[in-house]
């Protein structure tokens, strides 16, 4: 893969703009900071590989979400990130610092309950919390707009139940 | 807790998340991502290797076929193996096609469906061996013995062949039971992946 200096600079700017998004996506698919760091590395790698073929008909956010969610959902990343990536970089200097955000009990609870959802539902609820429209969520997930509405209601209900059950215990 | 409140908690985390990652862009360039290969590559290389071996073996089979057209005792086993080979070539080619069609920038559902299909093929591949072993091992031995060493196994009668065939079925049944009770790691991973994506 040959990249120009300009592409590398563009990618660096792009990454700075979307690193928060990447961090959030990784947060709902992994369970500890080390795993998150591995996943973030894998997402960045896949973004970098796909960057020269970026399809301009999608917004950068849609494109980034698709890649970040796909990499996170795919079980393939588990083995890749935990073995190959680590192996490939073990002699290299660390190029990524990841400090998990400060402890927030309510946020942690939310992450915990989101973690109990199915992989695709996790993506939908995160996009919903990020206040994306049904149309945008449909574009990222590939589901129909009406399907998104139905699923959102179901997920909200599930989360409500989790929080209520937690209160009563 | 109301959804509005959840949304608020989530939105407030934005700044913290932005600061969570510090990327050293200079090092990214130096490291060079081209070293990294997706672990899907395993599937690709297994399929490519199988296709190559099958193509080489099919040359041997075609030669054998032509030389034994008038001998049904050798012609039929060779035809059986040739059929299996064609099936496997199509199967592996489809796997490769699926592998190359998976891109991370596709909609999530599409990628999930493709990955699930790929994993289901992996499960099928493992289980199909259990049918292939008893059905095809005898014709394979007959063809290989004749083709490579000009050794006619029919000269020893057919009793041992029946015994061999029955024995292979027993082995396959035992393997199925063992695999169901104690699925190997590859199979377990494939199954749990398919299960996790089941909507």
């Amino acid at each position: 893969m040959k990249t120009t200096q300009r592409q590398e600079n563009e990618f660096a700017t792009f990454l700075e703009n979307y690193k928060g998004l990447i961090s959030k996506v990784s947060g709902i698919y992994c369970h500890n900071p080390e795993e998150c760091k591995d996943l973030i590395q894998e997402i960045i790698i896949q973004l970098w590989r796909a960057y020269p073929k970026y399809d301009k008909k999608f917004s950068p956010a849609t494109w980034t979400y698709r890649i970040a969610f796909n990499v996170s959902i795919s079980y393939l990343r588990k083995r890749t990130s935990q073995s190959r990536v680590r192996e490939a970089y073990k002699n290299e200097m660390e190029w990524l610092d990841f400090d998990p955000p400060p402890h927030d009990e309510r946020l942690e609870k939310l992450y915990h309950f989101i973690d109990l959802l199915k992989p695709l539902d996790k993506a939908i609820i995160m996009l919903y919390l990020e206040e994306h429209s049904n149309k945008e969520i449909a574009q990222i997930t590939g589901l129909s707009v009406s399907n998104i509405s139905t699923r959102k209601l179901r997920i909200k209900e599930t989360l409500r139940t989790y929080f209520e059950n937690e209160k009563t215990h | 807790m109301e959804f509005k409140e959840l949304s608020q908690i989530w939105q407030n985390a934005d700044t913290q998340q932005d600061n969570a990652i510090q990327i050293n862009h200079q090092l990214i360039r130096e490291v060079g991502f081209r070293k990294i290969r997706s672990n899907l590559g395993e599937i690709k290389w297994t399929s490519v290797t199988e296709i190559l071996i099958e193509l080489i073996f099919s040359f041997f089979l075609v030669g054998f076929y032509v030389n034994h057209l008038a001998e049904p005792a050798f012609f039929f086993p060779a035809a059986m193996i040739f059929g299996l080979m064609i099936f496997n070539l199509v199967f592996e080619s489809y796997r490769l096609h699926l592998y190359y069609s998976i891109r991370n920038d596709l909609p999530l559902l599409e990628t999930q469906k493709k990955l699930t299909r790929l994993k289901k093929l992996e499960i099928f591949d493992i289980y199909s061996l259990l049918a292939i072993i008893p059905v095809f091992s005898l014709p394979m031995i007959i063809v290989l013995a004749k083709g490579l060493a000009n050794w006619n196994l029919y000269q020893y009668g057919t009793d041992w062949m029946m015994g061999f065939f029955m024995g292979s079925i027993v082995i396959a049944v035992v393997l199925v039971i063992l695999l169901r009770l104690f699925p190997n790691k590859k199979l377990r991973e494939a199954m749990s992946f398919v299960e996790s994506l089941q909507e």
Side-chain angles (χ1 to χ4, degrees), chain A residues 84-131:
Chain A
R84 291 217 171 113
V85 172
R86 207 172 271 167
E87 206 175 288
Y89 289 108
K90 68 183 173 193
N91 295 321
E92 308 283 353
M93 286 168 69
E94 291 280 317
W95 56 272
L96 179 75
D97 272 331
F98 176 70
D99 296 316
H103 180 82
D104 178 330
E105 206 184 322
R106 289 180 313 162
L107 190 64
E108 268 184 16
K109 231 175 253 173
L110 181 57
Y111 270 113
H112 171 68
F113 292 141
I114 290 176
D115 192 43
L116 301 173
L117 301 171
K118 282 183 175 291
L120 200 56
D121 288 347
K122 285 184 190 180
I124 293 170
I125 197 64
M126 181 186 152
L127 292 165
Y128 185 33
L129 287 166
E130 294 277 312
E131 294 178 341

Side-chain angles (χ1 to χ4, degrees), chain B:
Chain B
M1 194 179 287
E2 283 309 307
F3 197 78
K4 212 171 172 186
E5 208 178 330
L6 293 181
S7 183
Q8 198 65 51
I9 299 170
W10 186 266
Q11 299 289 338
N12 289 343
D14 265 353
T15 338
Q16 298 171 356
Q17 296 284 350
D18 266 351
N19 298 330
I21 308 179
Q22 300 298 329
I23 304 161
N24 185 331
H25 295 283
Q26 183 58 35
L27 277 177
I28 291 184
R29 281 195 279 272
E30 284 170 19
V31 167
F33 286 142
R34 75 200 88 168
K35 292 182 195 181
I36 309 299
R37 291 171 300 154
S38 153
N39 96 347
L40 263 180
E42 270 174 36
I43 292 169
K44 182 178 83 178
W45 291 115
T46 310
S47 296
V48 169
T49 314
E50 277 190 40
I51 288 172
L52 281 177
I53 291 171
E54 274 157 10
L55 282 175
I56 293 167
F57 192 62
S58 63
F59 283 118
F60 162 78
L61 270 183
V62 169
F64 183 88
Y65 212 59
V66 173
N67 291 334
H68 298 86
L69 270 175
E71 296 172 273
F74 294 109
F75 172 86
F76 282 116
M80 275 177 77
I81 297 167
F82 197 70
L84 172 71
M85 206 126 293
I86 298 292
F87 171 79
N88 221 30
L89 274 173
V90 173
F91 179 82
E92 292 303 336
S93 306
Y94 177 63
R95 275 224 300 197
L96 267 186
H97 160 75
L98 213 52
Y99 165 80
Y100 280 112
S101 69
I102 293 173
R103 292 198 337 260
N104 279 322
D105 58 352
L106 291 174
L108 274 54
L109 195 65
E110 204 176 319
T111 314
Q112 280 198 57
K113 277 184 182 165
K114 287 183 176 189
L115 282 171
T116 308
R117 207 173 304 152
L118 206 58
K119 285 288 132 191
K120 280 185 176 167
L121 290 180
E122 207 172 312
I123 296 168
F124 172 78
D125 200 24
I126 294 169
Y127 276 115
S128 66
L129 270 181
L130 304 171
I132 290 169
I133 292 170
V135 177
F136 292 92
S137 57
L138 186 59
M140 183 71 95
I141 288 175
I142 292 169
V143 169
L144 286 179
K146 181 69 178 166
L148 297 176
N150 199 23
W151 186 13
N152 182 357
L153 293 179
Y154 288 108
Q155 64 182 307
Y156 304 109
T158 49
D159 285 354
W160 73 271
M161 288 184 187
M162 279 308 288
F164 186 94
F165 182 67
M166 298 307 283
S168 327
I169 289 179
V170 173
I171 289 172
V173 170
V174 171
L175 281 176
V176 171
I177 294 168
L178 283 177
L179 220 53
R180 283 214 165 265
L181 291 175
F182 316 102
N184 68 22
K185 196 178 167 231
K186 201 176 166 191
L187 191 61
R188 251 191 346 255
E189 279 178 357
M191 282 171 153
S192 74
F193 178 69
V194 170
E195 211 173 287
S196 76
L197 292 187
Q198 222 82 57
E199 284 294 323

